[in-house]
Amino acid sequence: MAFLDDTPRARRKPSLTPMIDVVFLLLVFFMLASRFGMDQVLPLPLASQSGEGYRGAPRLVDVLPGAVKLNGVEMSPEALVAALAELAPAPEDAVILRGQEGAALQRLVDLATRLRAAGHLKLVLVE
């Protein structure tokens, strides 16, 4: 039989080119998908971490999905900053932020950033 040849075949070495291509593509993907730059940190102590007692007028800000309330009264974020200026004139006066169900975290962060820019430096987050 002619097709049964007893001569040994030379072993083929596997090519590493496809593996190198895959590793290169993964490297490019993760470089493009990663975030470059500095993340901002917004320090918000929890109410249980605050060592001082609460003093002064009530300043409870409820963050709802579509609105903001100060002590139960719905208002715009601009009116909130003005009202808090009257209730908390000193920067060390605590302002309590409470996110309600359905409110996006980004909404809470945006409001906290706006309050910090207005001079309210002591923001406390409660559940």
PDB file of all heavy atoms in Angstrom, residues 67-80:
ATOM      1  N   ALA A  67     -36.455  66.384  42.424  1.00  0.00           N
ATOM      2  CA  ALA A  67     -36.590  67.608  43.213  1.00  0.00           C
ATOM      3  C   ALA A  67     -35.614  67.588  44.377  1.00  0.00           C
ATOM      4  O   ALA A  67     -34.969  66.581  44.653  1.00  0.00           O
ATOM      5  CB  ALA A  67     -38.028  67.729  43.732  1.00  0.00           C
ATOM      6  N   VAL A  68     -35.557  68.732  45.039  1.00  0.00           N
ATOM      7  CA  VAL A  68     -34.751  68.889  46.248  1.00  0.00           C
ATOM      8  C   VAL A  68     -35.637  69.544  47.290  1.00  0.00           C
ATOM      9  O   VAL A  68     -36.372  70.491  46.989  1.00  0.00           O
ATOM     10  CB  VAL A  68     -33.512  69.770  45.974  1.00  0.00           C
ATOM     11  CG1 VAL A  68     -32.735  70.016  47.244  1.00  0.00           C
ATOM     12  CG2 VAL A  68     -32.626  69.141  44.937  1.00  0.00           C
ATOM     13  N   LYS A  69     -35.592  69.023  48.524  1.00  0.00           N
ATOM     14  CA  LYS A  69     -36.388  69.593  49.604  1.00  0.00           C
ATOM     15  C   LYS A  69     -35.475  70.015  50.745  1.00  0.00           C
ATOM     16  O   LYS A  69     -34.552  69.288  51.107  1.00  0.00           O
ATOM     17  CB  LYS A  69     -37.393  68.573  50.146  1.00  0.00           C
ATOM     18  CG  LYS A  69     -38.513  68.236  49.203  1.00  0.00           C
ATOM     19  CD  LYS A  69     -39.498  67.288  49.862  1.00  0.00           C
ATOM     20  CE  LYS A  69     -40.661  66.984  48.959  1.00  0.00           C
ATOM     21  NZ  LYS A  69     -41.618  66.071  49.607  1.00  0.00           N
ATOM     22  N   LEU A  70     -35.756  71.175  51.302  1.00  0.00           N
ATOM     23  CA  LEU A  70     -35.077  71.649  52.499  1.00  0.00           C
ATOM     24  C   LEU A  70     -36.091  71.671  53.625  1.00  0.00           C
ATOM     25  O   LEU A  70     -37.079  72.395  53.560  1.00  0.00           O
ATOM     26  CB  LEU A  70     -34.483  73.045  52.285  1.00  0.00           C
ATOM     27  CG  LEU A  70     -33.868  73.711  53.521  1.00  0.00           C
ATOM     28  CD1 LEU A  70     -32.691  72.900  54.043  1.00  0.00           C
ATOM     29  CD2 LEU A  70     -33.447  75.124  53.218  1.00  0.00           C
ATOM     30  N   ASN A  71     -35.875  70.845  54.634  1.00  0.00           N
ATOM     31  CA  ASN A  71     -36.786  70.712  55.771  1.00  0.00           C
ATOM     32  C   ASN A  71     -38.220  70.450  55.317  1.00  0.00           C
ATOM     33  O   ASN A  71     -39.175  70.987  55.855  1.00  0.00           O
ATOM     34  CB  ASN A  71     -36.723  71.954  56.664  1.00  0.00           C
ATOM     35  CG  ASN A  71     -35.348  72.148  57.256  1.00  0.00           C
ATOM     36  OD1 ASN A  71     -34.616  71.184  57.487  1.00  0.00           O
ATOM     37  ND2 ASN A  71     -34.989  73.384  57.495  1.00  0.00           N
ATOM     38  N   GLY A  72     -38.375  69.644  54.265  1.00  0.00           N
ATOM     39  CA  GLY A  72     -39.695  69.255  53.781  1.00  0.00           C
ATOM     40  C   GLY A  72     -40.306  70.189  52.756  1.00  0.00           C
ATOM     41  O   GLY A  72     -41.386  69.919  52.241  1.00  0.00           O
ATOM     42  N   VAL A  73     -39.658  71.302  52.441  1.00  0.00           N
ATOM     43  CA  VAL A  73     -40.191  72.279  51.478  1.00  0.00           C
ATOM     44  C   VAL A  73     -39.430  72.122  50.170  1.00  0.00           C
ATOM     45  O   VAL A  73     -38.212  72.271  50.121  1.00  0.00           O
ATOM     46  CB  VAL A  73     -40.046  73.723  52.015  1.00  0.00           C
ATOM     47  CG1 VAL A  73     -40.557  74.722  50.995  1.00  0.00           C
ATOM     48  CG2 VAL A  73     -40.760  73.865  53.339  1.00  0.00           C
ATOM     49  N   GLU A  74     -40.173  71.825  49.099  1.00  0.00           N
ATOM     50  CA  GLU A  74     -39.533  71.636  47.796  1.00  0.00           C
ATOM     51  C   GLU A  74     -39.087  72.970  47.218  1.00  0.00           C
ATOM     52  O   GLU A  74     -39.807  73.967  47.289  1.00  0.00           O
ATOM     53  CB  GLU A  74     -40.516  70.945  46.845  1.00  0.00           C
ATOM     54  CG  GLU A  74     -39.887  70.541  45.543  1.00  0.00           C
ATOM     55  CD  GLU A  74     -40.816  69.697  44.685  1.00  0.00           C
ATOM     56  OE1 GLU A  74     -41.599  68.914  45.240  1.00  0.00           O
ATOM     57  OE2 GLU A  74     -40.754  69.848  43.463  1.00  0.00           O
ATOM     58  N   MET A  75     -37.870  72.962  46.666  1.00  0.00           N
ATOM     59  CA  MET A  75     -37.330  74.184  46.062  1.00  0.00           C
ATOM     60  C   MET A  75     -36.292  73.831  45.017  1.00  0.00           C
ATOM     61  O   MET A  75     -35.844  72.687  44.940  1.00  0.00           O
ATOM     62  CB  MET A  75     -36.741  75.100  47.129  1.00  0.00           C
ATOM     63  CG  MET A  75     -35.667  74.493  47.991  1.00  0.00           C
ATOM     64  SD  MET A  75     -35.076  75.594  49.300  1.00  0.00           S
ATOM     65  CE  MET A  75     -36.538  75.900  50.233  1.00  0.00           C
ATOM     66  N   SER A  76     -35.908  74.823  44.245  1.00  0.00           N
ATOM     67  CA  SER A  76     -34.872  74.624  43.230  1.00  0.00           C
ATOM     68  C   SER A  76     -33.499  74.609  43.917  1.00  0.00           C
ATOM     69  O   SER A  76     -33.351  75.119  45.028  1.00  0.00           O
ATOM     70  CB  SER A  76     -34.930  75.742  42.191  1.00  0.00           C
ATOM     71  OG  SER A  76     -34.507  76.954  42.775  1.00  0.00           O
ATOM     72  N   PRO A  77     -32.479  74.048  43.253  1.00  0.00           N
ATOM     73  CA  PRO A  77     -31.142  74.058  43.857  1.00  0.00           C
ATOM     74  C   PRO A  77     -30.602  75.467  44.120  1.00  0.00           C
ATOM     75  O   PRO A  77     -29.896  75.692  45.094  1.00  0.00           O
ATOM     76  CB  PRO A  77     -30.283  73.315  42.823  1.00  0.00           C
ATOM     77  CG  PRO A  77     -31.241  72.430  42.107  1.00  0.00           C
ATOM     78  CD  PRO A  77     -32.527  73.199  42.062  1.00  0.00           C
ATOM     79  N   GLU A  78     -30.958  76.436  43.273  1.00  0.00           N
ATOM     80  CA  GLU A  78     -30.510  77.812  43.494  1.00  0.00           C
ATOM     81  C   GLU A  78     -31.162  78.399  44.738  1.00  0.00           C
ATOM     82  O   GLU A  78     -30.501  79.076  45.543  1.00  0.00           O
ATOM     83  CB  GLU A  78     -30.834  78.692  42.274  1.00  0.00           C
ATOM     84  CG  GLU A  78     -30.076  78.318  41.019  1.00  0.00           C
ATOM     85  CD  GLU A  78     -30.692  77.131  40.271  1.00  0.00           C
ATOM     86  OE1 GLU A  78     -31.873  76.803  40.496  1.00  0.00           O
ATOM     87  OE2 GLU A  78     -29.967  76.521  39.474  1.00  0.00           O
ATOM     88  N   ALA A  79     -32.469  78.162  44.911  1.00  0.00           N
ATOM     89  CA  ALA A  79     -33.168  78.647  46.100  1.00  0.00           C
ATOM     90  C   ALA A  79     -32.679  77.916  47.351  1.00  0.00           C
ATOM     91  O   ALA A  79     -32.658  78.495  48.437  1.00  0.00           O
ATOM     92  CB  ALA A  79     -34.673  78.458  45.932  1.00  0.00           C
ATOM     93  N   LEU A  80     -32.266  76.671  47.193  1.00  0.00           N
ATOM     94  CA  LEU A  80     -31.730  75.908  48.326  1.00  0.00           C
ATOM     95  C   LEU A  80     -30.456  76.554  48.858  1.00  0.00           C
ATOM     96  O   LEU A  80     -30.282  76.715  50.063  1.00  0.00           O
ATOM     97  CB  LEU A  80     -31.446  74.466  47.904  1.00  0.00           C
ATOM     98  CG  LEU A  80     -30.721  73.604  48.918  1.00  0.00           C
ATOM     99  CD1 LEU A  80     -31.635  73.262  50.073  1.00  0.00           C
ATOM    100  CD2 LEU A  80     -30.182  72.352  48.277  1.00  0.00           C
TER     101      LEU A  80
END
